[in-house]
Amino acid sequence: MRLLQQLSAKPYSTFALDTQLAELVELESLAELMAYQPQATPLLLGEGSNSIFLSNQTQTVLRYLAKSRTVLSEDEKNVQLHIEAGDNWHQLVSWTVAQGWWGLENLSLIPGSVGAAPVQNIGAYGAELADCCDYVDFFHWQSREVQRLSKGDCGFAYRDSIFKTALAGQGVIVAVGLTLKKQGQPKLGYKGLEHLNQHSSVAEVAQAVIAVRQSKLPDPAVLPNCGSFFKNPVVSHTVFETIQHAYPAIPFYPQADGLVKLAAGWLIEQVGLKGQRIGDVGCYEKQALVLVNFGLGTAADLKQMIALIQQKVAVTFAVQLEPEVRLLG
């Protein structure tokens, strides 16, 4: 176990606001987690790629860093994996792609830890974690025991899960179970993947996704950001038709339940905010969905930019944007 006190929050959030953490605890194994007895419920943090500390944090911040990969079973069709929560998500994806296994390729280059993936039910380019997740192992603070939640128990929805609702603050995700396929069909329904076909390899799909992401998303080490800042809104077909009548070129993605998903970045661009900034926080010039810290951004700058985006999109499209990023404090 590692205990740090009174330290800058900058290294622990890729948005890098200059706030402070009162206490940070890092645990390296399940045994350490089971032995740890917090005085109050700690705030969980993965790699900080989806969390922004808006103010000085007095609550203890806990990072669970255990990482191992275990092949539970394998046959000619599938492979079942048990992955500890501290593993890096993109490194895991790259490893599975190198094995020739299908299922995670469209989720390449998403930053963060494996343990954070079920919380958001991370998704990109027509795929999401729920597509291949079998179970999530969850350590409860109260019972001091690990519970295995099946995929059905996890309440997966668009950027949502039981870990953001009923189990929020109740414990720690310690591992994830995945089933990947030896033979797969590429998911190519998103812009940037048109040059591929159903005969493309899993590595070709992953490389195409990485290329698209790198062309649109700034490197947080160079320009601090948390990737896509807002959820893509899902609206009724009636609302969609009203918007499409005024904006025939609007990109849209029909959902199985009859609703329609819209591209939040496109909406923000249409209201003229792409490349705009307030203080040292702004909409990235290559992708309006990404908010960036130009170096000296403050929480006040960020909150004003969020409010401006939400207000303009609501007035123009009657659509309310919700942050995908976790705002703390």
Side-chain angles (χ1 to χ4, degrees), residues 62-141:
L62 174 68
R63 300 182 71 213
Y64 182 65
L65 304 178
K67 53 182 178 181
S68 67
R69 302 170 187 165
T70 304
V71 177
L72 298 177
S73 67
E74 186 174 1
D75 57 30
E76 66 276 5
K77 292 184 177 180
N78 301 312
V79 56
Q80 290 184 301
L81 305 174
H82 179 86
I83 311 296
E84 284 194 291
D87 202 358
N88 175 271
W89 177 260
H90 178 63
Q91 290 177 12
L92 169 66
V93 174
S94 298
W95 175 67
T96 64
V97 168
Q99 313 304 312
W101 299 334
W102 291 82
L104 304 184
E105 62 282 351
N106 286 49
L107 307 180
S108 296
L109 212 64
I110 293 179
S113 65
V114 168
V119 180
Q120 284 281 100
N121 184 24
I122 59 171
Y125 300 98
E128 58 185 18
L129 175 75
D131 297 338
C132 53
C133 180
D134 289 329
Y135 62 81
V136 174
D137 285 351
F138 187 82
F139 174 77
H140 288 266
W141 291 123

Side-chain angles (χ1 to χ4, degrees), residues 108-264:
S108 296
L109 212 64
I110 293 179
S113 65
V114 168
V119 180
Q120 284 281 100
N121 184 24
I122 59 171
Y125 300 98
E128 58 185 18
L129 175 75
D131 297 338
C132 53
C133 180
D134 289 329
Y135 62 81
V136 174
D137 285 351
F138 187 82
F139 174 77
H140 288 266
W141 291 123
Q142 188 168 10
S143 68
R144 313 296 299 176
E145 294 179 347
V146 175
Q147 176 190 9
R148 177 157 293 181
L149 289 91
S150 69
K151 174 180 174 177
D153 294 331
C154 290
F156 287 132
Y158 174 61
R159 300 299 183 272
D160 202 11
S161 72
I162 194 173
F163 309 107
K164 293 178 76 171
T165 55
L167 291 181
Q170 301 301 306
V172 182
I173 291 173
V174 295
V176 175
L178 304 170
T179 293
L180 305 182
K181 297 182 181 301
K182 296 288 189 67
Q183 302 292 329
Q185 292 292 318
K187 294 181 178 180
L188 307 176
Y190 273 68
K191 186 177 180 181
L193 307 180
E194 305 94 338
H195 64 288
L196 301 174
N197 57 54
Q198 291 302 309
H199 301 292
S200 297
S201 69
V202 64
E204 288 171 333
V205 175
Q207 284 302 315
V209 169
I210 290 170
V212 173
R213 290 183 70 90
Q214 288 179 331
S215 71
K216 297 194 300 183
L217 304 177
D219 182 347
V222 178
L223 194 58
N225 72 90
C226 281
S228 299
F229 199 92
F230 295 96
K231 298 177 185 178
N232 287 322
V234 179
V235 302
S236 70
H237 204 272
T238 301
V239 170
F240 164 68
E241 287 182 330
T242 300
I243 298 173
Q244 189 185 43
H245 181 73
Y247 297 86
I250 184 173
F252 63 97
Y253 308 95
Q255 304 298 290
D257 57 6
L259 300 177
V260 181
K261 184 190 294 183
L262 307 179

